[in-house]
């Protein structure tokens, strides 16, 4: 979208293109991965999805909700920058409103950051309420997390041994494999932590106990990550997104809906 003129964008929308909005975070991902992982992966999935369906990819929304200790390591690491929940929700409503005002009726948020989910749900809910009140009933927003669009059996097939706990997959095998596949030159496996899988207590405390988090920032051991696994996960996530968008945005008059 950023590379299109407004006329070209308007033509694509008029022809029925879906607008994909990747949303991520700027967040530490251990010492071996870059800060942009969550939005970079969401954007990569969006761009690859747009090769299979008629879609325009909006520039990614790179800031997300605040990193949490037990899912992202927390905000104490330099370079981790999070938004207050209401800031994220209202900024995303602004983006959705702007896209819809420009004529887009088919919108899809592709989320790459675990902590974003409910604030994006809030944004979609507020946006749909506003669109209804202003007589724009035709706008539909699909909200999906790219990292839920694949079969976890892929992980077991590649890494063997005990299945990975995706709840602790922050800078672990999953994200590291995707980064090796997509941006291998940004990954420093020599800096990858040797620590074992991090177990947390079953509750949170405010202010948080920063010492619960390993000093590296990674929550599980990424050493079994490979580019081949990353390719397989990536392709599966893209296929998953394509299936979702084809089902939700079938052309009008297609009775199979
Ligand atoms: Zn991440
Ligand atoms: Mn994250």
């Amino acid at each position: 979208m950023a590379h299109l003129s407004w006329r070209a964008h308007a033509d694509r929308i008029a022809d029925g293109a879906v607008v994909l909005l990747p949303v991520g975070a700027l967040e530490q991902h251990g010492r071996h991965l870059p800060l942009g992982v969550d939005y970079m992966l969401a954007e990569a999935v969006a761009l690859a999805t747009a090769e299979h369906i008629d879609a325009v990819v909006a520039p990614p929304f790179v800031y997300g909700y605040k990193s949490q200790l037990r899912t992202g390591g927390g905000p104490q690491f330099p370079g981790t920058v999070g938004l207050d929940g209401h800031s994220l929700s209202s900024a995303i409503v602004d983006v959705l409103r702007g896209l819809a005002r420009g004529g887009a009726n088919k919108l899809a948020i592709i989320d790459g950051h675990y902590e974003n989910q409910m604030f994006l749900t809030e944004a979609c809910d507020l946006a749909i309420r506003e669109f209804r009140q202003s007589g724009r009933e035709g706008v539909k927003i699909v909200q999906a997390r790219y990292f839920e669009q694949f079969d976890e059996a892929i992980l077991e097939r590649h890494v063997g041994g005990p299945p990975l706990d995706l709840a602790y997959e922050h800078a672990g095998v999953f994200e590291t494999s995707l980064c090796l596949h997509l941006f291998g030159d940004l990954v420093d496996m020599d800096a990858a932590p040797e620590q074992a899988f991090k177990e947390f207590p079953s509750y949170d405390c405010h202010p948080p106990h920063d010492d619960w988090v390993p000093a590296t920032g990674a929550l599980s051991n990424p050493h079994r990550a490979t580019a081949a696994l990353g390719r397989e996960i990536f392709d599966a996530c893209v296929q998953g997104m394509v299936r979702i968008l084809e089902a939700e945005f079938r052309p009008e008059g297609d009775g199979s809906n």
Side-chain angles (χ1 to χ4, degrees):
M1 179 178 173
H3 296 182
L4 299 175
S5 72
W6 71 265
R7 285 290 334 197
H9 173 73
D11 288 346
R12 293 292 307 279
I13 298 304
D15 286 347
V18 181
V19 177
L20 307 181
L21 175 63
V23 182
L26 200 58
E27 181 186 40
Q28 70 82 20
H29 278 75
R31 290 173 183 157
H32 63 299
L33 298 181
L35 292 162
V37 166
D38 287 358
Y39 82 78
M40 290 161 62
L41 292 177
E43 183 181 33
V45 169
L47 289 168
T49 299
E51 289 175 14
H52 299 279
I53 62 160
D54 187 11
V56 171
V57 180
F61 194 90
V62 304
Y63 296 100
Y65 183 63
K66 289 170 274 195
S67 182
Q68 298 297 299
L69 235 63
R70 294 192 286 141
T71 46
Q76 69 276 25
F77 294 88
T80 297
V81 180
L83 300 182
D84 288 346
H86 64 91
S87 303
L88 175 60
S89 295
S90 71
I92 294 294
V93 170
D94 290 346
V95 173
L96 295 170
R97 181 191 300 118
L99 292 169
R101 187 191 290 132
N105 281 330
K106 304 173 183 176
L107 302 169
I109 291 175
I110 300 182
D111 183 18
H113 175 55
Y114 192 88
E115 288 86 336
N116 282 345
Q117 186 171 33
M118 281 306 157
F119 300 99
L120 296 179
T121 300
E122 173 73 350
C124 292
D125 184 62
L126 294 178
I128 289 292
R129 191 166 77 191
E130 177 185 313
F131 296 153
R132 284 217 175 110
Q133 284 165 353
S134 58
R136 294 213 50 189
E137 313 276 336
V139 183
K140 181 173 185 175
I141 310 164
V142 166
Q143 178 191 356
R145 300 162 116 186
Y146 86 79
F147 50 86
E148 289 181 342
Q149 314 309 327
F150 76 104
D151 181 351
E152 292 177 23
I154 294 172
L155 294 173
E156 268 186 78
R157 208 160 52 240
H158 272 261
V159 298
L164 301 175
D165 188 339
L166 279 178
Y168 293 147
E169 254 307 311
H170 179 73
V173 170
F174 176 85
E175 285 182 319
T176 303
S177 293
L178 284 169
C179 288
L180 285 169
H181 168 49
L182 293 163
F183 342 97
D185 52 345
L186 299 180
V187 181
D188 180 4
M189 285 308 284
D190 292 337
E194 297 289 349
Q195 92 225 0
F197 185 71
K198 176 65 192 174
E199 292 279 3
F200 287 105
S202 58
Y203 64 94
D204 295 304
C205 197
H206 305 278
H209 295 292
D210 291 350
D211 59 352
W212 283 0
V213 181
T216 63
L219 302 186
S220 58
N221 189 317
H223 278 278
R224 289 184 291 176
T226 64
L229 172 59
R231 173 186 294 269
E232 202 170 329
I233 294 171
F234 183 73
D235 290 347
C237 291
V238 170
Q239 285 165 21
M241 285 308 311
V242 169
R243 275 195 300 274
I244 290 168
L245 296 172
E246 282 179 344
E248 290 297 332
F249 295 117
R250 281 200 185 95
E252 276 166 48
D254 180 342
S256 54
N257 204 351

